[in-house]
Amino acid sequence: MANEDKASRYHRLRRGASLAGTVLSGLLLLVLLVSGGSAALRDIASSLSRGSFTLTVVVYVVLLGLLSEAVGLPLAFYTGVTLERRYDLSTQKARAWWLDHLKAGLIALMFGAGAAVFVWHLLRWRPADWWLIAACAFSVLMIVLAQLAPVVLLPIFYDFKPLDRPALRDRLVALAERAGAKVLGVFEWRLSDRTRKSNAALTGLGRTRRILLSDTLLADHSDDEIEVILAHELAHHVHRDMWTGIAVETALMTLLLSPSTTAIGSSVPLAT
């Protein structure tokens, strides 16, 4: 790849690291399943929870999450810190990256533990159709999270403020309305303390939908360029890409939760 330019190599390395992380996670779960490691984690969780059924499920998920984190951390650090610094894109201190990573991990554990408790109770209460109920519930949850993300999840990691450029704001709001995506407003998204990359996004659903423009984008691009970049994001809305993604995720969840799939791991129950 002697003729590969810097940007292409950067994106290739990111894609490679992402694929490697996915494969590594899958291998970890497979090894735990076939080696009896999952049963060992279950026994540890049961002993730590002192017989509490719900707490056993939660502790099991936490232990599994910590193990998965330990295995995947080197790749995560490579992608989030090493690679970004190698290509002079990062402006974030390592301590800030660790804090963001910790917050993301805690949120993932919270949702994972809640989902596991929900599914395990469904298995006991509705053994025949638990998987359909779970798939429907998780699909609804994805829609709710998509709506709440701009006002609940994203502010945990980023700072936002209303865009203080009236001409650009009015121009972008008008563009969004022509695309059929009425927005709550336009907000400046602080990214300069993390990266030199520019970004724009159309986030939320209904009354939470808003336009986000990174401060790096606002500093380095003209209004015309910003409008073109946002038009690309609006195209995803016009083509209903988010709803397509939710439909695909729902189909995959239904398949993975179906009796024919879950029967593969039925020999390793979490608790009795």
Side-chain angles (χ1 to χ4, degrees):
M1 299 185 181
N3 295 324
E4 185 179 36
D5 62 33
K6 187 176 181 180
S8 297
R9 179 173 175 78
Y10 166 77
H11 288 292
R12 178 173 62 81
L13 291 173
R14 282 192 66 88
R15 288 192 299 269
S18 177
L19 178 60
T22 301
V23 172
L24 196 60
S25 296
L27 287 175
L28 172 64
L29 296 177
L30 181 62
V31 168
L32 287 174
L33 182 64
V34 301
S35 69
S38 180
L41 286 181
R42 176 203 61 199
D43 293 340
I44 295 172
S46 180
S47 64
L48 291 175
S49 61
R50 298 184 178 181
S52 170
F53 173 78
T54 299
L55 188 56
T56 296
V57 177
V58 172
V59 174
Y60 176 89
V61 171
V62 171
L63 292 175
L64 181 60
L66 291 175
L67 182 59
S68 179
E69 174 65 20
V71 171
L73 185 58
L75 270 176
F77 189 84
Y78 169 78
T79 303
V81 179
T82 304
L83 190 61
E84 296 297 303
R85 290 181 176 179
R86 178 185 300 176
Y87 286 85
D88 197 30
L89 294 172
S90 177
T91 59
Q92 187 178 38
K93 296 180 179 179
R95 183 176 62 181
W97 182 88
W98 282 108
L99 179 60
D100 281 347
H101 194 72
L102 176 61
K103 288 189 290 187
L106 290 175
I107 292 172
L109 280 178
M110 180 184 68
F111 280 112
V117 170
F118 174 68
V119 167
W120 200 249
H121 280 295
L122 277 180
L123 278 166
R124 301 181 72 185
W125 296 335
R126 300 294 295 266
D129 56 1
W130 69 270
W131 55 285
L132 283 175
I133 298 173
C136 292
F138 291 149
S139 298
V140 172
L141 179 62
M142 282 193 293
I143 295 172
V144 171
L145 289 178
Q147 184 174 33
L148 295 181
V151 293
V152 176
L153 294 178
L154 290 179
I156 296 175
F157 300 94
Y158 303 103
D159 295 325
F160 302 96
K161 65 179 182 179
L163 180 64
D164 190 22
R165 287 168 58 172
L168 177 59
R169 180 193 63 218
D170 294 345
R171 183 174 178 177
L172 297 181
V173 168
L175 176 65
E177 290 180 348
R178 291 198 301 273
K182 188 175 181 180
V183 296
L184 172 71
V186 184
F187 294 82
E188 181 177 334
W189 173 15
R190 187 184 177 193
L191 280 185
S192 58
D193 59 340
R194 301 162 187 266
T195 182
R196 293 185 174 86
K197 292 184 286 188
S198 300
N199 206 347
L202 181 69
T203 65
L205 290 173
R207 294 183 179 180
T208 67
R209 186 185 291 121
R210 60 197 62 199
I211 295 169
L212 305 180
L213 305 175
S214 71
D215 54 353
T216 49
L217 178 72
L218 293 166
D220 298 336
H221 295 77
S222 68
D223 287 5
D224 288 341
E225 290 171 329
I226 292 172
E227 185 176 24
V228 170
I229 292 169
L230 181 63
H232 170 83
E233 300 302 319
L234 287 168
H236 292 299
H237 168 82
V238 172
H239 293 288
R240 301 185 181 276
D241 290 345
M242 188 186 73
W243 292 108
T244 300
I246 290 175
V248 171
E249 291 286 343
T250 298
L252 288 174
M253 279 193 297
T254 304
L255 176 63
L256 292 173
L257 293 171
S258 66
S260 60
T261 304
T262 54
I264 297 174
S266 60
S267 60
V268 188
L270 178 59
T272 57

